[in-house]
Amino acid sequence: MADLKYYDVILKPVITENSMSVLDEKKYTFIVHPEATKAQVKDAVEKMFAGAKVAAVNTMNYDGKPKRRGVHFGKTPKFKKAVVKLTADSKDIEIFQGM
């Protein structure tokens, strides 16, 4: 397991129609480090966003998709996505506000 600091765990937020539709349920979606655990994701969210209290974390691993350009074959990089559900009394995460 990697020795990750909390600021290395969350790479970027996911801004899609589906991830924006679950914001009223206080669910936020992030691309996270592929070796990050659920506990590390929870700690990172609570430390990076003041007032956020995490109720649950669901993670999904995605393999790279095969791609081809002419005769050359390759794959897109694999990544890990985390859906973080906040408690009812926690503050909203500001990065998603105004979108």
Side-chain angles (χ1 to χ4, degrees):
M1 184 164 60
D3 182 32
L4 298 172
K5 305 293 183 206
Y6 72 93
Y7 46 81
D8 291 330
V9 173
I10 296 177
L11 302 179
K12 63 182 178 179
V14 175
I15 312 295
T16 61
E17 186 175 350
N18 190 22
S19 66
M20 294 292 115
S21 66
V22 294
L23 285 180
D24 12 336
E25 301 172 23
K26 291 203 170 199
K27 290 184 179 180
Y28 298 91
T29 309
F30 299 99
I31 300 291
V32 297
H33 193 278
E35 296 181 11
T37 63
K38 290 182 180 185
Q40 288 173 327
V41 172
K42 178 182 177 180
D43 288 341
V45 169
E46 290 177 347
K47 287 181 181 178
M48 290 179 74
F49 306 106
K53 296 176 191 162
V54 176
V57 177
N58 295 327
T59 60
M60 294 142 285
N61 285 307
Y62 289 91
D63 288 332
K65 294 180 181 179
K67 297 290 180 180
R68 188 179 118 171
R69 187 173 179 110
V71 296
H72 301 287
F73 290 90
K75 285 183 110 177
T76 59
K78 63 180 182 176
F79 64 97
K80 189 173 198 174
K81 187 165 73 170
V83 178
V84 177
K85 180 168 177 55
L86 301 182
T87 60
D89 61 337
S90 73
K91 285 178 58 178
D92 289 336
I93 294 177
E94 323 253 316
I95 192 169
F96 289 96
Q97 301 306 320
M99 292 191 180

